[in-house]
Amino acid sequence: MSASSMSNWNRRSVLRAAMGLAAAGGLAACGGNNGRGGGSGSGANLVQYFHAYGENGVEAAVKKYAKAYKGANVSTQWITGSNFEQKLFAALLTDNAPDVFEFHPQIQLVKSGQVADLTDIISPVKSDFNQADITSHTVDGKIYGVRMIDDPQFFFYRPSMFEKAKVQVPTTLEELIEATKALTTSKVKGAYLGNDITPVQSPLIWSAGADTLTPDNKPAFNTDAVAAGLKQMRGLFTSGNLLLGAPTDWWDPSAFTQGLTAIQWCGMWAMPAMQQALGDDIGIFPFPKIGAAGKQSVINGGWSMFVNAKGKNVEAAKEYVKWLWIDQKQYQEDFATSYGFHIPPRTSLAESATKLKTGLPAEGVKLFNQFGHFDNIGWTQAMISSINDVIANSIRKDDDPKAQLAAAEKKVDAELKKLFG
């Protein structure tokens, strides 16, 4: 689900900003609705933090779920603006910290004791979750956080424009670059990858046959194939065939629906809005392969619910999270499919969700299952930020990709030593 004002944040994967909990200390706690509406129970007062989803109806739905809960009075802080993560981290350091908050699995939240162990509430239904989601939330055998939605991202394209330009769906980066050239006209750019190109940074690594980290937490992205991919992307950036400086960023489908581009990198959440604007003139394909050893890839973003382990009502907060995100399957399906399209992380729900069974959403599920890559809990904000720098310096500027990857590897290595010794 997109947030209409989070233009420079890759909200659906891990945070980009290299900002740790301690660094957020100087920021004020976030304002918002502190009203204690919530349920009619006489139990604890709980506050939950959500970022402002862009799709109509999500805020009302979240508040409706909270009101239906009788075990506590649950109020919702709906955080608008482009810096949800900064506001969240700042608030976590104050007396006004939320009891429950949505975020992505991040190992520093576990190591700092910020998030509660939820193994006991998840274990009874663990087998009904996508096991890759369980893995991405597990540290030393304990599960931190309940996945709420899985959000695959891919390239969306206009079949009518492809047909007119006699372009086939690209399966390699070379083909993608050639397609953007053939599709570019005086009014339409060939492709849009976001205003700063960073949304595709992880798929670029995976599609080149590399990875962010090895299974034993060593840097795995500094390869010749990734460097070659960066060089090709630099050529695309300077070609004049990319849409640059669009009015809305990659997570919003406006550039695509308004006909500014023939291809846009975006998420499955935007499908309903795209279909409303363009009908059946929409197709999708994964990030194409790079080099001989490469493989097409799909990034799985998404959001998870965490309990603040340093809050005043940890047990009450865990009960609420269990009630909403484990027991109330009708609310979970509503959240995943009634506003934007998302894949429920519960296998039983993913299989029964009617809206995902046919057409474009079914194709999205298929690509997700075939090519999907999930969060790596060890891949932190600072590490993401170091790859942001690689993208900025080797694609948007013209620095040597190998040198940039080597510099990033040094930074990531230092972070890994801090976290894992």
Side-chain angles (χ1 to χ4, degrees):
M1 298 178 187
S2 61
S4 57
S5 53
M6 304 187 87
S7 57
N8 292 317
W9 294 77
N10 187 345
R11 314 155 31 273
R12 294 179 184 276
S13 50
V14 196
L15 251 186
R16 288 200 203 137
M19 177 173 179
L21 288 166
L27 292 174
C30 181
N33 169 22
N34 281 308
R36 299 285 176 182
S40 59
S42 57
N45 290 325
L46 300 176
V47 175
Q48 60 179 354
Y49 265 33
F50 278 78
H51 79 281
Y53 287 74
E55 292 84 330
N56 290 333
V58 186
E59 182 179 5
V62 164
K63 290 178 175 175
K64 178 184 81 177
Y65 310 152
K67 196 172 181 185
Y69 184 58
K70 305 303 178 196
N73 298 303
V74 183
S75 66
T76 303
Q77 293 247 19
W78 194 252
I79 311 298
T80 58
S82 63
N83 55 350
F84 169 73
E85 292 85 353
Q86 292 179 25
K87 288 174 178 176
L88 169 65
F89 285 160
L92 286 172
L93 296 168
T94 72
D95 291 337
N96 297 319
D99 301 282
V100 173
F101 59 91
E102 64 168 1
F103 200 56
H104 318 286
Q106 289 273 305
I107 199 164
Q108 67 271 42
L109 292 172
V110 176
K111 298 250 178 189
S112 64
Q114 187 69 64
V115 291
D117 173 10
L118 303 184
T119 312
D120 56 337
I121 66 172
I122 296 171
S123 283
V125 293
K126 184 178 168 183
S127 62
D128 188 40
F129 272 86
N130 185 317
Q131 291 308 293
D133 280 322
I134 294 290
T135 300
S136 70
H137 290 69
T138 301
V139 178
D140 297 331
K142 294 176 178 173
I143 306 166
Y144 299 85
V146 181
R147 193 65 152 186
M148 304 183 296
I149 44 175
D150 284 325
D151 274 336
Q153 299 160 27
F154 11 67
F155 282 113
F156 289 79
Y157 73 96
R158 297 282 298 276
S160 63
M161 291 183 181
F162 271 49
E163 204 176 318
K164 192 176 176 188
K166 297 183 170 55
V167 169
Q168 299 298 309
V169 175
T171 58
T172 67
L173 187 53
E174 287 87 353
E175 289 171 1
L176 176 65
I177 292 167
E178 284 166 20
T180 62
K181 186 178 179 183
L183 291 159
T184 298
T185 68
S186 59
K187 291 179 181 165
V188 180
K189 290 292 186 183
Y192 180 45
L193 311 183
N195 284 328
D196 64 6
I197 321 292
T198 56
V200 300
Q201 64 189 32
S202 290
L204 192 150
I205 291 168
W206 298 320
S207 283
D211 208 340
T212 50
L213 300 174
T214 63
D216 61 345
N217 295 308
K218 303 280 190 299
F221 53 82
N222 183 8
T223 70
D224 289 344
V226 173
L230 288 165
K231 200 160 190 168
Q232 286 178 281
M233 291 292 286
R234 168 66 184 169
L236 177 58
F237 182 77
T238 57
S239 67
N241 302 324
L242 268 194
L243 178 63
L244 301 170
T248 57
D249 215 341
W250 68 278
W251 43 260
D252 183 291
S254 298
F256 188 66
T257 57
Q258 290 168 13
L260 302 180
T261 183
I263 302 172
Q264 179 176 329
W265 183 263
C266 197
M268 190 160 151
W269 59 85
M271 281 181 184
M274 289 181 180
Q275 289 175 322
Q276 201 177 347
L278 301 171
D280 292 334
D281 191 22
I282 312 163
I284 52 175
F285 61 92
F287 196 94
K289 68 177 250 177
I290 298 170
K295 189 187 176 185
Q296 294 165 290
S297 66
V298 167
I299 186 171
N300 173 41
W303 289 89
S304 308
M305 193 50 68
F306 297 90
V307 169
N308 178 10
K310 298 177 179 180
K312 298 182 184 77
N313 297 298
V314 176
E315 288 310 311
K318 281 176 66 173
E319 279 302 311
Y320 171 63
V321 169
K322 177 185 181 295
W323 175 82
L324 180 51
W325 297 111
I326 289 172
D327 299 341
Q328 302 304 311
K329 290 179 93 169
Q330 78 277 21
Y331 287 156
Q332 293 157 35
E333 182 170 354
D334 180 63
F335 191 69
T337 64
S338 293
Y339 311 99
F341 288 151
H342 316 262
I343 300 173
R346 298 285 289 274
T347 314
S348 56
L349 281 179
E351 286 168 358
S352 67
T354 319
K355 291 177 183 176
L356 306 183
K357 282 187 184 299
T358 57
L360 198 64
E363 183 66 20
V365 172
K366 187 179 161 189
L367 292 184
F368 166 83
N369 288 332
Q370 195 174 352
F371 300 115
H373 291 257
F374 286 69
D375 287 317
N376 182 334
I377 199 167
W379 186 244
T380 67
Q381 295 157 272
M383 298 175 200
I384 296 286
S385 183
S386 70
I387 304 296
N388 291 168
D389 292 343
V390 173
I391 299 294
N393 294 327
S394 61
I395 296 178
R396 287 161 54 212
K397 297 177 190 169
D398 195 17
D399 291 354
D400 175 46
K402 276 302 279 180
Q404 285 298 317
L405 287 167
E409 185 175 27
K410 254 180 115 165
K411 289 179 197 165
V412 169
D413 211 32
E415 287 299 313
L416 289 165
K417 284 190 170 70
K418 268 190 249 171
L419 288 165
F420 299 105

